Amino acid sequence: MTEHKFKGNLSVLDVVMITASGVTPASSIFVIAPLAIASAGGEYSIIKRLFGTLCGLQTYLFILSAALFVPAVLATGAVPYLNTALGTQFDASTAGMVTILIGGACAIFNIKANALLTGTFLVVEVAVLGLIAWLGFSNPHQSAEILTSPVMLNPEGLLAPVSVPLIVAMVGVALFSYNGYGAAVYMAEDMREQGKPMATAIMLTLVIVVLVELLPFTALLIGAPSLVEMAKQADPVGYVVSQLGGPTLARVVSGAIYLSVFNAIIAIVAQFSRMMFSSGRDGFWLPQVNRALKKIHPRFGTPWIATLLFGIPSALLAFCSNLGDLTSFTVILLLLVYIIMAIAALISRRRVHFHHPYLMPLWPLPVAIALIGCLYVLWTILIASSLKDFIIIAGIFCFGLVLSYLRNRQAIPLVEHSVEGE
């Protein structure tokens, strides 16, 4: 079976379609946003070069752990929309697991076909979000003041201003909504051209994600007939759609939301299976695991074993966990990765022998703000976290130490590759 090399037949547009689908604008609005309403590979290669193999391994494990949780969060959160659309009562854990398994199986197919599939779903997804935006803005019930003076239900069931600490705590959930646009880099070796086209794909994805998430969510707040009733709903977004467009439209929209999540899962599995492929090629694991991860399907040209090893554990997470726990822990992992990358950026700029093809304007102010903000948000979340979260984080650290020890015993070199094919 062929190893090591992808076919390299993706264009910038193909990469943007897969990556934007993976960020899943609709899922961020309909799965992640309700939590906020209710309450108010390439990286590991950079870290390895700056801080050594052990830090690179630990960073990779944090990224991989966060990536495994994301499909589980989205699939579990999408099941209520499937039930609304079909009038069924599927269990969230079981149906979420099945959703991930089917999406993962689709991700094994030819990557070009996946780009077309996810792109088609993305068009439908954006159309639904456009409909939501039109409903909200054309039927305003709230003033624009709600955007600058947020409120929430107090214990007496009345609206009260949201405290600053709670807003800070919800920043982590907001980061989850927009996280993922940089994952275009995992598609680099599938592209016809690399370098500047990859940077173009990342920035295009960012622009698309910001626009198609921010506008519909703003419209939902403006169009909500009653903020009190909206805050009381288990599905606040569905409440607004039903009130503004009727129950039939709400069911149609719910079906489209579920399909958008399914689309996102295909894209996410396709992206992160390539990160696992890269880790096998770079020799992160023990020899037997590395050889398995590097295998490319002879017909579809995809890393099929890496895809299975990513999709199946993620499906099991959906089956064994609930949406709230999955989301909160994923946010912690994402913040840890952001903090590590911010520190790496500050140190990398001072290494004059490193190649710096892109120089950030206003350096180092953006990185410093990001670092301080993420540290504060992480602290706010951790002081309210359960002991289980700390045990899992400690387990990831211990696994990295054991893996590093076993690799050193076998004297396995860490190959100088990255997902960009450097």
Side-chain angles (χ1 to χ4, degrees), residues 143-291:
S143 70
E145 186 180 349
I146 188 62
L147 303 177
T148 56
S149 302
V151 294
M152 62 177 293
L153 288 182
N154 61 20
E156 290 74 35
L158 302 175
L159 293 177
V162 182
S163 64
V164 173
L166 186 56
I167 293 176
V168 172
M170 287 299 100
V171 169
V173 178
L175 287 174
F176 191 178
S177 296
Y178 290 101
N179 179 69
Y181 61 88
V185 72
Y186 301 135
M187 302 283 107
E189 293 181 60
D190 282 292
M191 292 186 71
R192 301 189 191 106
E193 300 178 54
Q194 299 179 20
K196 187 175 180 180
M198 174 51 64
T200 301
I202 292 174
M203 295 310 297
L204 279 175
T205 304
L206 173 60
V207 171
I208 291 172
V209 168
V210 170
L211 289 177
V212 299
E213 289 191 19
L214 189 59
L215 290 178
F217 188 69
T218 302
L220 286 168
L221 292 176
I222 296 295
S226 169
L227 293 177
V228 172
E229 290 301 316
M230 182 182 183
K232 290 180 179 179
Q233 303 297 319
D235 174 14
V237 182
Y239 157 77
V240 176
V241 175
S242 179
Q243 291 294 311
L244 299 183
T248 301
L249 180 61
R251 295 186 66 171
V252 172
V253 169
S254 292
I257 293 168
Y258 176 79
L259 289 178
S260 76
V261 174
F262 179 73
N263 178 43
I265 290 171
I266 297 175
I268 291 169
V269 175
Q271 290 168 347
F272 286 98
S273 64
R274 278 153 178 77
M275 187 182 78
M276 294 188 70
F277 164 88
S278 180
S279 71
R281 185 190 56 191
D282 293 357
F284 261 50
W285 312 96
L286 299 180
Q288 301 90 332
V289 179
N290 291 330
R291 284 194 294 270

Side-chain angles (χ1 to χ4, degrees), residues 388-402:
K388 181 175 65 175
D389 291 340
F390 290 96
I391 292 174
I392 297 175
I393 293 172
I396 296 173
F397 271 115
C398 291
F399 180 76
L401 293 174
V402 172

Side-chain angles (χ1 to χ4, degrees), residues 298-347:
R299 178 179 177 184
F300 301 125
T302 55
W304 67 281
I305 293 181
T307 302
L308 292 175
L309 291 178
F310 180 85
I312 292 175
S314 186
L316 292 176
L317 280 173
F319 183 72
C320 300
S321 306
N322 62 67
L323 180 60
D325 291 341
L326 287 169
T327 303
S328 63
F329 188 71
T330 305
V331 169
I332 292 173
L333 292 175
L334 291 175
L335 286 168
L336 287 171
V337 173
Y338 291 164
I339 290 168
I340 292 170
M341 291 306 298
I343 295 172
L346 290 172
I347 295 177

